[in-house]
Each structure stands twice: as C-alpha cells, then as structure tokens.
C-alpha cells in the first residue's frame, strides 16, 4: 500500500481546518483597532459596532485606540497583524484615500494590505457659517465670495483633512477664492467659528449639530449627494446650485489581508443586521451619522474610487507630499 506524503497530509489538514475554524468564529475576544483617541467619530462608531457584534456573535469585541501620525500607527498595526479575524480595523477615508495621496512613504498599502469587511456609517460635512456672515444660502455665499475674493476665510481641523478638501473642492467647482485657515484640530476651529473669528467651515455634522439647533451657527448645506437623515431639513450643496458636488466622511471595517473569507462573510452578515436595527440607526443618527453597510467588494471599489478622486483633487490644488 502506497503511503501518502506527510507534507500533502499536513496541507490537506490545514485546508480542512480553515473553514471549520471560521464556522466556530469567534472563539475568543476580538480586538478592534481604532486609529484615533476616544471620543471622536471613528471611536463612537467603533464602540457602537463592537457592542452589536458582541451581542450577535457571543464573544467580546474590544476597542483598542491607537491614535497618532495621521492614523498611520493604527493602520500599520492592523496591516502587520495575523489574518485570523481576531484583529479588526475601523477607520475612515482619511486612512484609505487621503493620507496615501499626501505621503510618499507609508508602512501600509490601502488596497493590498487589508481585507474589506463592510461599510459601517457615512456622514456628510456641513457647510456652516457664523450668523454674522450675510449669507443664508449657498448661492449667497458664492456671490459674496466672488465679490470679496481672498477675503472670506474658512476653517478646517488641519491641512489634508476632509473638511479642508471639501472647502478646496467647493472653491474649484464654484470658481471662488476662500482663504483656508488650518487649525490643530476640530475643537479649536469650531471655537473660533463660534466666536466669529472665522466665518465659514466645512464641519462634520456631528460636531456642529447642537450649535446649528440652538442658532449659534447657520447650516447652509450638506456635502452629500442626498440629504442626510441626521439633518433632513438642510439641503445639499448639489441641490443648491453646484451640481455634482459630493464629499463624505465614511467609516468602515477591515481585517488584515488574507483574513479568511468565511470570517469576513460572518462579520459582514452581522454588520448588515446591525445597521438595519432601529436602535443602532437611532444611535448613529443622534451622532450625525447614517448607518450603512456594504458588501466587501463594494467597499473595495469605494476605496479605489476615492483614492483616485482625492488624488486628482490634491494634485489640482497643489498640496505637497509630506
């Protein structure tokens, strides 16, 4: 009787063990790395989905905040983690589409080093102005900016952020010349906006929603293609006279590249169920987000599209590599 090669037997056993292990997934606590400190949008979404997955899959999903270096520290930790489904990543377009277009050298590749799992939530930026600015619509702001080129300032959390790039896209598409004032974070930028020291900002809906509600800031429009459930009364920039305008903050879950397909599918199904749950959707809406899932393929296509789109914009406005 011919004996089978031990190496062949070993490979066959490992191949059979993969799907079996995935069926039992998760068999121990799962770590979700978030490349920001506690309290921000990514952290809020990450903790919300961790709670949902813990409840649905029967193991603890634990948030691990790894802030710093424009999200690079957290991104690298995930890229180098074992692809077994026990290290996951919740991050935004900053990590996957903006930073790669600003940095010439990165310790990760946004396409090759990760396994897309699902979109989690989206949030438009909100074009807000201080009430002292004589503009109550996007058209009035454009007219004012054209009458005073280079004189109307807009704040952003820093160079290269979504708020900054939304402002630059607005300038390109409207032919206006707003003056960019970068800050060291959204907090100081919003504080100066509230104080009237800078009159305009493209801010995340969650960061300015309370001030809009109480009348301390005026919301002219949102940057999404369609109105957001968080601010349904506010029109989009596209419907306010700038057709085709769209920028969004999106937050998604990934694993390291080569995370087993069965694990990705199990996580994807649990996330899809979570974002349909009324409690989760209400939790997201209260923070200015729209809960939204996707297939892994749809998320991969979004990343490639956003990489190209932001790359084109960054080149057009002359942002230098850092």
């Amino acid at each position: 009787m011919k004996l089978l090669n031990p190496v062949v037997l070993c490979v066959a056993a490992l191949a059979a063990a993969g799907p079996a292990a995935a069926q039992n997934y998760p068999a121990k606590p799962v770590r979700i790395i978030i490349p920001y400190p506690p309290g921000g949008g990514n952290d809020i979404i990450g903790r919300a989905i961790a709670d949902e997955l813990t409840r649905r899959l029967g193991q603890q999903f634990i948030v691990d905040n790894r802030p710093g270096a424009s999200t690079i520290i957290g991104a690298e930790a995930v890229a180098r983690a074992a692809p077994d489904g026990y290290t996951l990543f919740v991050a935004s377009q900053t990590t996957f589409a903006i930073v790669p277009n600003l940095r010439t050298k990165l310790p990760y590749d946004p396409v090759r080093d990760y396994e897309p799992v699902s979109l989690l939530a989206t949030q438009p930026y909100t074009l807000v102005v201080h009430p002292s600015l004589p503009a109550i619509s996007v058209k009035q702001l454009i007219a004012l900016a054209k009458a005073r080129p280079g004189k109307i300032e807009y704040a952003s959390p820093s160079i290269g952020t979504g708020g900054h790039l939304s402002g630059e896209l607005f300038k390109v598409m409207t032919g206006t010349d707003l003056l960019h004032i970068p800050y060291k974070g959204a907090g100081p930028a919003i504080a100066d906006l509230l104080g009237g020291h800078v009159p305009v900002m493209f801010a995340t809906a969650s960061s300015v929603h309370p001030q809009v509600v109480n009348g301390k800031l005026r919301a002219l429009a949102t940057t999404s293609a369609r109105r957001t459930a968080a601010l349904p009364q506010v029109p989009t920039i596209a419907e306010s006279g700038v057709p085709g305008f769209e920028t969004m903050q999106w937050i998604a879950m990934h694993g390291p590249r080569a995370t087993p397909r069965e694990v990705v599918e199990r996580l994807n199904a649990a996330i899809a169920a979570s974002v349909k749950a009324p409690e989760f959707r209400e939790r997201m809406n209260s923070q200015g987000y729209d809960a939204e899932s996707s297939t892994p393929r749809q998320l991969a296509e979004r990343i490639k599209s956003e990489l190209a789109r932001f790359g084109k914009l960054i080149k057009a406005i002359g942002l230098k590599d850092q």
Side-chain angles (χ1 to χ4, degrees):
M1 179 178 178
K2 187 176 179 180
L3 295 176
L4 292 176
N5 188 317
V7 174
V8 174
L9 287 172
C10 183
V11 170
L14 287 173
Q23 287 174 5
N24 295 326
Y25 174 87
K28 61 182 180 179
V30 180
R31 178 176 57 151
I32 299 178
I33 290 180
I34 296 176
Y36 292 96
N42 270 64
D43 184 66
I44 291 169
I45 303 299
R47 291 179 187 278
I49 201 63
D51 290 345
E52 285 288 329
L53 294 178
T54 295
R55 183 170 64 85
R56 293 177 184 276
L57 298 181
Q59 282 286 350
Q60 285 292 316
F61 282 72
I62 303 166
V63 167
D64 180 3
N65 296 93
R66 298 285 188 93
S70 299
T71 76
I72 293 172
I73 291 173
E76 182 179 11
V78 176
R80 298 188 177 208
D84 56 8
Y86 291 95
T87 299
L88 302 173
F89 192 36
V90 168
S92 70
Q93 81 280 4
T94 296
T95 301
F96 289 97
I98 296 177
V99 171
N101 279 305
L102 290 173
R103 302 288 181 115
T104 54
K105 294 182 180 180
L106 280 178
Y108 70 91
D109 184 284
V111 175
R112 292 196 302 267
D113 289 343
Y114 304 94
E115 205 68 52
V117 176
S118 176
L119 193 65
L120 300 175
T122 60
Q123 177 179 221
Y125 296 92
T126 304
L127 172 53
V128 288
V129 300
H130 189 268
S132 63
L133 191 75
I136 60 172
S137 68
V138 170
K139 288 184 178 180
Q140 288 185 4
L141 175 62
I142 292 171
L144 193 63
K146 287 184 175 180
R148 298 162 56 185
K151 301 297 183 182
I152 298 178
E153 300 169 331
Y154 82 94
S156 84
S158 66
I159 293 173
T161 57
H164 171 214
L165 295 177
S166 294
E168 294 302 310
L169 181 63
F170 184 82
K171 288 165 59 176
V172 169
M173 293 186 70
T174 60
T176 53
D177 182 19
L178 301 174
L179 180 61
H180 177 225
I181 307 295
Y183 285 78
K184 292 183 178 179
I190 292 171
D192 267 11
L193 179 69
L194 288 167
H197 304 297
V198 60
V200 179
M201 186 173 177
F202 291 81
T204 57
S206 57
S207 65
V208 295
H209 185 268
Q211 290 82 10
V212 170
V213 171
N214 63 28
K216 292 182 179 180
L217 294 175
R218 181 186 301 134
L220 301 188
T222 62
T223 63
S224 48
R226 61 182 186 274
R227 296 193 185 196
T228 174
L231 292 169
Q233 77 282 9
V234 179
T236 67
I237 291 177
E239 69 179 288
S240 300
V242 191
F245 189 99
E246 181 184 8
T247 61
M248 291 283 287
Q249 182 188 45
W250 50 266
I251 297 174
M253 179 176 284
H254 290 74
R257 174 60 70 188
T259 298
R261 180 175 58 84
E262 295 83 1
V263 169
V264 170
E265 290 176 350
R266 185 160 168 75
L267 286 167
N268 182 272
I271 290 169
S274 297
V275 302
K276 292 176 182 176
E279 307 82 20
F280 185 80
R281 299 185 76 83
E282 289 170 10
R283 187 173 177 181
M284 294 300 96
N285 289 165
S286 70
Q287 298 294 330
Y289 290 90
D290 293 319
E292 185 177 349
S293 64
S294 71
T295 66
R297 182 175 180 177
Q298 286 170 336
L299 178 54
E301 290 172 351
R302 177 186 283 262
I303 290 168
K304 290 178 182 178
S305 173
E306 293 278 272
L307 267 169
R309 192 162 71 94
F310 278 112
K312 183 178 179 181
L313 176 61
I314 286 167
K315 184 177 181 180
I317 64 179
L319 275 184
K320 302 297 182 181
D321 292 333
Q322 299 177 9

